[in-house]
Amino acid sequence: QKEVEQDPGPLSVPEGAIVSLNCTYSNSAFQYFMWYRQYSRKGPELLMYTYSSGNKEDGRFTAQVDKSSKYISLFIRDSQPSDSATYLCAMMRAGANNLFFGTGTRLTVIP
Amino acid sequence: SAVISQKPSRDICQRGTSLTIQCQVDSQVTMMFWYRQQPGQSLTLIATANQGSEATYESGFVIDKFPISRPNLTFSTLTVSNMSPEDSSIYLCSVHGSGEETQYFGPGTRLLVL
């Protein structure tokens, strides 16, 4: 079983839609949770960073962590064509350096 | 966040040869990390590079195949040795965020081995 599972998509939505991206994980020791956005031929760009359970909002982006279910989500409101990219979830144990990534979900927002 | 650059951005190499990838950061950092992103797979940590000590390799990665240098606090190199087509991948370096338990990534080096 992989440490982190993520639906690879692809996911296509119309402009303005609410997008929900999700990951599940198996290691209850994960404490730090991240979402990265990766445009084609670019490196991953940090979008959201949360510690332990709860919600965090930044503009059109909301990250949720449910540690009891080992489930994290990223919501994108009012999606734009510029949001078209691959979204990677990542997580890490406290005191560790190794980020564990999902395989990424490819999102296309259609104008 | 730190600004990270990598050279080369991409390369096409013949099997059996070696390629050295450079990573430069615009600030001093204690640790630098090297990841591999194979097609359709998740990013996987190859090794952690500390200045002044040997790199620490993750399970499945060995120094003979991926030698790493860390001559100062802003620079590191990863060499992919005796390459085979299975080494075709994107190689990324990253650093810790200042005061954060997260990492920032460089633009990556896209390697194709024929």
Side-chain angles (χ1 to χ4, degrees), chain A residues 34 36 38 41-42 97, chain B residues 37 96 101-103 110:
Chain A
M34 285 138 268
Y36 289 85
Q38 187 173 24
R41 304 186 183 284
K42 301 287 187 183
N97 296 313
Chain B
Q37 187 177 26
H96 267 308
E101 294 294 337
T102 186
Q103 293 177 18
R110 283 150 184 80

Side-chain angles (χ1 to χ4, degrees), chain A residues 52-94:
Chain A
S52 195
S53 285
N55 295 357
K56 185 173 183 179
E57 186 173 324
D58 184 1
R60 295 185 295 110
F61 298 91
T62 299
Q64 286 186 353
V65 175
D66 182 349
K67 291 192 68 180
S68 63
S69 301
K70 297 189 180 69
Y71 188 87
I72 70 170
S73 301
L74 178 71
F75 297 95
I76 307 174
R77 291 184 300 280
D78 187 26
S79 55
Q80 303 295 311
S82 58
D83 295 328
S84 298
T86 297
Y87 289 80
L88 306 164
C89 63
M91 45 202 79
M92 187 165 63
R93 299 186 307 273

